[in-house]
Amino acid sequence: MPESNGRAVVVGGSIAGVSAVHALLSAGWEVVVLEKTTAPPTGSPTGAGLGLDPLSQSIIKSWLPRHQSDNNNNNNNNNILNTHTLPLTIDQNQATDAEKKISRVLTRDESFNFRAAYWSDLQNLLYNALPTDIFLWGHVFQSFRVSDDNKSVIVQSKVVQSGNVVEFAGDLLVAADGCLSSIRQVFLPDLKLRYSGYCAWRGVLDVSSDEKSNIYAGLQRVYQDLGKCLYFDLGSGTHSVFYELLNKKINWIWYINQPEPQLKGNSVTMKVSNDMIKKMQDEAEKTWVPEFVRVIKETKEPFLNVIYDCDPLHQIVWDRVVLIGDAAHPTTPHGLRSTNMSILDASVLGQCLTKSGVENLAMGLEEYQSIRVPVTSKQVLHSRKMGRIKQGLVLADAKVFDPKTATPEECRDLQQKYMPGFSGVP
């Protein structure tokens, strides 16, 4: 590891934050993380699924430790990642007829090369590869200021357990505090997230037990590439996402057009009632094949995300403050970009700071911004377009997409591989 080049304070210990820690340590920086949750993640697989693209896989492998028994063979940290994920080698879009309950393939890409993971499994993997004393749990970000001599940034946090307010000084503040970023709001107080026009019901069903084995068998009959395929299922004015996670767990998402709900608190996840869940399940029976409906009905505690993004930011660096992850580019989930952009943000930031050192910090941050903003801006807008296509919403430059009558040319933008910067991103 290089000699220490500086000290960074990272606000947010989610995947963007923990990725930033890996990248900054690799650049020789000291790091402290302020995270509002009161304890490190446990091994329990909670939350939703995600997909890692080939570049993110490569970056993560470079961060994971190599064991001596491996004799310096790179295959070992490949295996660490592989044991926490499942391959997604196929990207398939299909249309389901709500009346006949049959599906037909619209597009199929058999050279996809993603891997599927639980959010919490990936979080645990990255966190457990770091020194534990870097993280300060139960620290709620309060404010920051740049020192009078402009040589450091001072960050205040409130300790949940004691209620005390404490200060931390560093050369750099990394805002990894999500799409509702408090730090971003300091610089862009008028920025509003844009409601997409739809919400997403989500859930994960464990079908590994004997009593659920018939559900899994039924799914295999209908979804014959289960375990290696990312399924996008398009209905009339709606679509769903369906894929398997490690240990026979099924991750599903169903997007429903509706007016913007009124959210409470600092979260994009809604509290749902039993009546809301029952209504959703009844609608599923009218829309999807019975095998998928059964997965939805058997899922305990499905939750509802309100889907937002925002118009691309032109600036993500201010003096000694830098945005990464969803704080820098809130995006809709259709291009599987959020996690992958966060990991790449961190990696690029680390490489830029390795080159610049703390003595040329402004130059390093400017390079990071100049590399990431053009790419993420295009990806945010393309993901927005994909969502509107699949939900049958009006497009600025095209007619409403109808999966029943769509031509192969019209189906082109359904595929992940046409995301700008999908391969060869700097």
Side-chain angles (χ1 to χ4, degrees):
M1 184 181 292
E3 239 179 83
S4 177
N5 286 319
R7 176 178 169 83
V9 180
V10 177
V11 173
S14 189
I15 288 176
V18 78
S19 296
V21 175
H22 277 282
L24 289 166
L25 290 179
S26 297
W29 282 58
E30 297 177 12
V31 188
V32 62
V33 180
L34 307 179
E35 167 53 41
K36 62 184 178 182
T37 58
T38 55
T42 65
S44 60
T46 56
L50 55 87
L52 294 172
D53 66 25
L55 185 53
S56 290
Q57 294 172 44
S58 176
I59 292 169
I60 291 170
K61 289 170 186 175
S62 75
W63 291 337
L64 298 179
R66 294 186 178 92
H67 295 289
Q68 301 212 343
S69 59
D70 188 48
N71 293 324
N72 296 320
N73 188 319
N74 284 343
N75 287 335
N76 188 68
N77 52 357
N78 292 3
N79 291 337
I80 295 174
L81 181 61
N82 289 355
T83 57
H84 288 74
T85 58
L86 273 187
L88 288 175
T89 59
I90 302 168
D91 170 30
Q92 180 165 305
N93 287 272
Q94 57 192 40
T96 291
D97 187 312
E99 294 180 1
K100 298 178 181 178
K101 298 295 191 296
I102 57 175
S103 301
R104 65 182 180 89
V105 175
L106 299 174
T107 68
R108 182 177 171 90
D109 177 8
E110 296 187 355
S111 56
F112 192 46
N113 198 24
F114 271 48
R115 295 194 72 87
Y118 262 118
W119 180 94
S120 59
D121 282 354
L122 181 61
Q123 169 76 359
N124 281 324
L125 181 65
L126 292 171
Y127 170 74
N128 289 331
L130 291 168
T132 56
D133 58 357
I134 286 175
F135 285 76
L136 298 178
W137 302 97
H139 279 251
V140 180
F141 168 80
Q142 299 292 294
S143 64
F144 73 90
R145 68 183 187 277
V146 176
S147 64
D148 293 339
D149 59 7
N150 201 35
K151 290 185 178 180
S152 64
V153 59
I154 296 94
V155 183
Q156 287 191 336
S157 69
K158 185 176 183 178
V159 183
V160 172
Q161 191 171 12
S162 66
N164 294 335
V165 174
V166 292
E167 288 190 347
F168 302 88
D171 301 290
L172 176 66
L173 169 58
V174 179
D177 53 342
C179 66
L180 299 172
S181 170
S182 300
I183 297 171
R184 184 186 66 219
Q185 189 175 17
V186 172
F187 300 104
L188 302 170
D190 298 325
L191 179 71
K192 303 295 183 186
L193 295 184
R194 169 198 159 274
Y195 177 55
S196 64
Y198 47 89
C199 296
W201 281 97
R202 309 189 66 164
V204 175
L205 177 64
D206 185 342
V207 291
S208 62
S209 62
D210 289 342
E211 61 266 25
K212 294 290 198 314
S213 60
N214 60 338
I215 299 178
Y216 189 72
L219 290 172
Q220 287 181 308
R221 287 193 296 272
V222 178
Y223 300 92
Q224 296 182 2
D225 292 307
L226 190 65
K228 61 180 180 180
C229 185
L230 174 64
Y231 288 100
F232 289 90
D233 214 339
L234 280 67
S236 178
T238 189
H239 81 287
S240 62
V241 185
F242 184 90
Y243 56 94
E244 185 175 348
L245 298 172
L246 204 62
N247 300 321
K248 288 189 178 179
K249 293 179 176 65
I250 306 301
N251 182 76
W252 61 271
I253 312 168
W254 180 17
Y255 298 96
I256 299 177
N257 295 337
Q258 65 178 75
E260 182 177 3
Q262 296 301 309
L263 289 172
K264 296 180 180 179
N266 194 37
S267 173
V268 295
T269 299
M270 284 183 63
K271 289 187 176 180
V272 296
S273 65
N274 290 334
D275 287 344
M276 292 170 67
I277 294 172
K278 179 64 166 61
K279 182 179 178 181
M280 177 271 293
Q281 293 172 343
D282 291 344
E283 288 299 315
E285 286 191 326
K286 303 173 186 176
T287 308
W288 306 118
V289 297
E291 292 80 5
F292 183 28
V293 174
R294 189 171 179 191
V295 169
I296 292 174
K297 286 189 168 185
E298 292 281 345
T299 300
K300 295 180 180 178
E301 299 181 356
F303 58 99
L304 189 61
N305 281 154
V306 186
I307 306 301
Y308 292 97
D309 66 6
C310 78
D311 291 336
L313 306 184
H314 302 295
Q315 184 175 359
I316 55 174
V317 169
W318 291 266
D319 296 324
R320 294 178 175 271
V321 182
V322 58
L323 308 182
I324 71 166
D326 289 344
H329 35 69
T331 185
T332 57
H334 312 293
L336 280 73
R337 286 295 91 202
S338 177
T339 298
N340 291 295
M341 284 196 284
S342 297
I343 291 167
L344 191 50
D345 284 349
S347 178
V348 171
L349 177 63
Q351 292 179 56
C352 291
L353 297 185
T354 297
K355 287 172 59 179
S356 70
V358 72
E359 64 276 7
N360 293 307
L361 179 61
M363 184 173 67
L365 294 177
E366 176 59 34
E367 183 180 23
Y368 162 75
Q369 178 173 264
S370 68
I371 291 172
R372 293 304 292 148
V373 166
V375 176
T376 58
S377 296
K378 291 177 182 176
Q379 292 185 340
V380 166
L381 294 177
H382 189 79
S383 184
R384 178 186 296 181
K385 180 180 178 182
M386 290 175 76
R388 295 191 69 80
I389 290 173
K390 294 182 179 186
Q391 285 298 105
L393 296 170
V394 175
L395 298 169
D397 57 351
K399 65 180 183 181
V400 172
F401 182 83
D402 184 348
K404 293 181 180 178
T405 60
T407 65
E409 291 75 20
E410 290 172 330
C411 292
R412 180 183 183 276
D413 281 338
L414 300 176
Q415 298 182 74
Q416 298 294 315
K417 66 181 179 182
Y418 294 114
M419 171 68 66
F422 183 77
S423 59
V425 178

